């Protein structure tokens, strides 16, 4: 089974919306979202002129997505991840780590970006995942 990275575009919205609902309904977030609500979120986000989204696909379709945007910072620009999710069927298989590796590579090679920022609740499993994947906890930046 081959895994490959693509940019999240209009063609993938419906499939990503279903992934979003399935992933976050089963997470500790317990987001009560409908596919329609997720479609609206994705389409709205895509209208941002600095939008950048990714999907990871296998032979059966989308198995992970990252929704974010490019933002300025003091040392240039960075990719800010607003939502990142992996199909619950793929948890524990290294898919999320592999997906982040592909995103980092694309950001560096094709976008000239070297930094990724995000926000994660320390009490959630996602926080441990990001720390395991070399993200740094910035205690001083919380309000």
């Amino acid at each position: 089974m081959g895994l490959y990275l693509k940019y999240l575009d209009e063609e993938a919205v419906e499939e990503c919306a279903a992934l979003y609902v399935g992933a976050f309904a089963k997470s500790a977030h317990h987001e009560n979202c409908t596919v329609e609500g997720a479609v609206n979120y994705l389409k709205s986000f895509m209208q941002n002129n600095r939008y950048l989204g990714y999907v990871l696909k296998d032979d059966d379709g989308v198995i992970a997505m990252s929704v974010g945007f490019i933002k300025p910072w003091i040392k240039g620009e960075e990719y800010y991840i607003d939502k990142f999710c992996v199909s619950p069927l793929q948890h524990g298989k290294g898919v999320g780590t592999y997906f982040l590796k592909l995103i980092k590579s694309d950001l560096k090679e094709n976008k000239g970006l070297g930094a990724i920022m995000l926000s994660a609740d320390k009490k959630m499993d996602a926080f441990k995942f990001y720390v395991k994947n070399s993200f740094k906890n910035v205690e001083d930046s919380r309000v």
Side-chain angles (χ1 to χ4, degrees), residues 30-93:
H30 300 295
E31 287 189 26
N32 189 10
C33 181
T34 64
V35 171
E36 180 183 356
V39 165
N40 290 337
Y41 160 77
L42 290 169
K43 285 184 175 181
S44 221
F45 214 98
M46 292 169 88
Q47 291 176 6
N48 177 335
N49 66 341
R50 303 290 292 185
Y51 161 78
L52 180 59
Y54 293 96
V55 293
L56 184 67
K57 296 182 97 174
D58 68 8
D59 297 335
D60 296 323
V62 174
I63 60 170
M65 74 170 195
S66 176
V67 178
F69 57 94
I70 297 171
K71 68 183 264 319
W73 72 306
I74 199 73
K75 295 182 183 178
E77 293 182 318
E78 64 191 6
Y79 180 54
Y80 185 89
I81 296 175
D82 189 65
K83 293 290 183 190
F84 183 94
C85 64
V86 174
S87 165
L89 299 173
Q90 301 296 328
H91 287 186
K93 297 179 181 179

Side-chain angles (χ1 to χ4, degrees), residues 5 15-16 20 23 28 31 42-44 46 55 66-67 73 76 83 96 116-117 119 124 132 135-136:
L5 184 75
E15 200 173 354
C16 286
Y20 181 99
E31 287 189 26
L42 290 169
K43 285 184 175 181
S44 221
M46 292 169 88
V55 293
S66 176
V67 178
W73 72 306
K83 293 290 183 190
I116 299 176
M117 294 291 293
S119 179
M124 301 292 183
K132 178 186 89 167
F135 284 81
K136 305 286 185 259

